[in-house]
Amino acid sequence: MSSSPRPRLCYVVSSAMTVQAFLKDHIAAAAECYDVSVVANTDDGEFLHRLGLAATLHPVGIVRRISAWRDLSALLALVRLFRAERFTIVHSVSPKAGLLAMLSTRIAGVPHRVHTFTGQVWVTRCGWRRRLLKLADRGLAALTTRALVDSPSQRDFLLAERVLAADKSAVIGKGSICGVDSVRFRPDEAARNVLRVDLGIAPSVPVLLFLGRLNRDKGVLDLAAAFVRVASRFPEAQLLLVGPDEEGMASAIDNVCAAVRDRVHLIDFTHQPERFMAAADVFCLPSYREGFGMVVIEAAAAGLPAVASRIYGVTDAVVDGQTGLLHPPGDVAAIAEKLTELLSAPDRCKAMGERARLRAQTDFSQAASSQGLMVFYAKILAS
């Protein structure tokens, strides 16, 4: 008698980069007991193979920005795909991919429709834009059979805002979309020395690091203004701002930091964030909105304490007073105060970094995150 076929699982994302950054280990774990496919907006037919993943790629043109014609074309392509492939579970990540995937799976009759919420753009919007984007999230949630949220405090927020229902939503473990690789992200003295030599920074100089997209929602101008205050007290301190400049922030940062511009390093997108974390002493995330703040946990695994905004998501990533210090979002004086507090006490700063690394390894390991997701899939199939 032949064995029953394996369940068919499909991940839907708008960018191949999302697979590499967040889903690689989940796909590898799922491939042991599912036939796995990936839908992504890519012309690179070999990227899954290069990542060593046993999954089938289905290219579909899902774009991040709203485009009526391209979005309709993507929706129709997804409906055709899901009707033909008859997946058991479809799991989407990112808002646009999620809305298109959940609508098309509903039309195609996919039995298990899962979306992961990783943050809400509408939190920092006002008026009709906020209402429209929030309505889109409510519609997305209504189309799912189960929703995942990448932090407990974000789930609480979405429940309070009546976007999610308690009985249809869950968090894997203590949060994060994928956990952290504590072998890749770790204290690394050799990498620290090499990068500091490349940047012309002496070994003993205190270095503050922001790593992420450079835009206003990330609070980079607040951090720049706070650094100007901190720099007057710590004349050797340096600030690294690493990430793609999405809103032309470089000139604004130059204006804010004119008096200390030679101590501010603007560096474009990197495929090796761990090198910059190894070279830094304090990680900064002055964001106005985050789903979880995964980058904080990666920095924690590298032994860095964080100075970050007290907002939902980040409050799950930072234990205030133990693994970092929290400040009100948008409060330049408070950011400067918290940075000064850590830079004035190097031993305390180091101890916080050690506690942050231990917590990252204990509560947010990559293996535990993938195992938790596989248990989640098994439960929804059993139900």
Side-chain angles (χ1 to χ4, degrees):
M1 185 175 179
S2 63
S3 60
S4 59
R6 301 202 310 172
R8 309 197 68 212
L9 168 64
C10 180
Y11 291 96
V12 182
V13 298
S14 57
S15 167
M17 189 181 300
T18 301
V19 174
Q20 183 168 353
F22 303 120
L23 300 179
K24 184 174 66 172
D25 289 275
H26 294 334
I27 293 171
E32 296 181 9
C33 48
Y34 298 89
D35 288 334
V36 183
S37 291
V38 175
V39 170
N41 183 13
T42 180
D43 296 322
D44 182 357
E46 297 298 316
F47 92 93
L48 291 176
H49 177 72
R50 285 198 305 276
L51 293 174
L53 298 175
T56 302
L57 176 66
H58 299 278
V60 175
I62 302 172
V63 295
R64 283 186 64 187
R65 294 187 178 277
I66 296 174
S67 170
W69 174 247
R70 296 183 72 178
D71 293 345
L72 179 60
S73 297
L75 177 66
L76 295 175
L78 289 172
V79 171
R80 289 193 296 268
L81 174 68
F82 295 146
R83 282 178 171 167
E85 296 293 334
R86 302 182 67 84
F87 294 111
T88 317
I89 304 172
V90 171
H91 185 169
S92 59
V93 177
S94 80
K96 171 66 83 64
L99 195 56
L100 291 174
M102 294 301 100
L103 180 56
S104 56
T105 51
R106 181 70 174 267
I107 294 170
V110 175
H112 300 288
R113 306 181 299 274
V114 180
H115 177 74
T116 296
F117 286 86
T118 58
Q120 291 69 52
V121 175
W122 48 268
V123 168
T124 57
R125 302 296 188 267
C126 299
W128 67 267
R129 289 182 178 85
R130 179 185 175 95
R131 291 192 295 273
L132 180 61
L133 292 168
K134 184 177 179 180
L135 183 62
D137 265 0
R138 281 181 171 166
L140 170 54
L143 291 166
T144 67
T145 56
R146 291 284 288 175
L148 290 175
V149 191
D150 69 351
S151 72
S153 59
Q154 181 189 180
R155 179 174 179 266
D156 291 342
F157 171 79
L158 291 174
L159 291 176
E161 292 288 327
R162 299 183 180 180
V163 172
L164 294 180
D167 60 345
K168 281 183 57 178
S169 60
V171 177
I172 302 296
K174 295 191 176 181
S176 93
I177 189 171
C178 61
V180 65
D181 181 352
S182 58
V183 174
R184 178 186 178 190
F185 295 94
R186 59 186 175 84
D188 187 336
E189 195 66 26
R192 177 184 178 90
N193 293 336
V194 168
L195 186 61
R196 282 179 173 242
V197 168
D198 289 346
L199 295 175
I201 301 174
S204 60
V205 166
V207 172
L208 311 177
L209 171 66
F210 168 89
L211 196 150
R213 300 188 307 276
L214 269 62
N215 59 42
R216 282 175 169 75
D217 277 358
K218 291 291 185 180
V220 291
L221 291 182
D222 298 333
L223 178 58
F227 179 69
V228 172
R229 300 188 184 197
V230 170
S232 63
R233 180 164 178 180
F234 301 92
E236 292 186 330
Q238 307 277 314
L239 174 63
L240 305 186
L241 299 171
V242 182
D245 187 354
E246 293 186 338
E247 297 179 357
M249 303 295 290
S251 59
I253 292 169
D254 283 345
N255 290 336
V256 171
C257 296
V260 292
R261 184 62 186 85
D262 59 327
R263 292 156 60 187
V264 178
H265 306 260
L266 286 171
I267 299 160
D268 205 350
F269 174 80
T270 176
H271 288 288
Q272 297 179 300
E274 65 274 14
R275 293 180 65 237
F276 294 92
M277 291 173 180
D281 299 293
V282 178
F283 188 79
C284 307
L285 186 65
S287 187
Y288 288 79
R289 61 176 178 87
E290 292 289 336
F292 173 67
M294 186 63 212
V295 69
V296 174
I297 295 299
E298 292 171 342
L304 298 185
V307 170
S309 299
R310 187 181 286 104
I311 55 175
Y312 75 76
V314 175
T315 54
D316 298 299
V318 179
V319 180
D320 193 22
Q322 297 184 34
T323 67
L325 300 174
L326 297 176
H327 59 79
D331 191 333
V332 172
I335 298 171
E337 177 187 340
K338 300 302 181 183
L339 291 172
T340 299
E341 192 175 331
L342 286 187
L343 294 181
S344 299
D347 290 342
R348 184 187 180 207
C349 185
K350 183 178 179 181
M352 277 191 174
E354 290 170 351
R355 286 194 294 269
R357 175 164 170 77
L358 179 61
R359 182 169 183 259
Q361 292 173 313
T362 303
D363 292 350
F364 301 103
S365 77
Q366 213 165 58
S369 179
S370 290
Q371 182 183 12
L373 184 59
M374 297 308 111
V375 170
F376 170 81
Y377 290 153
K379 285 182 177 179
I380 63 173
L381 288 178
S383 68

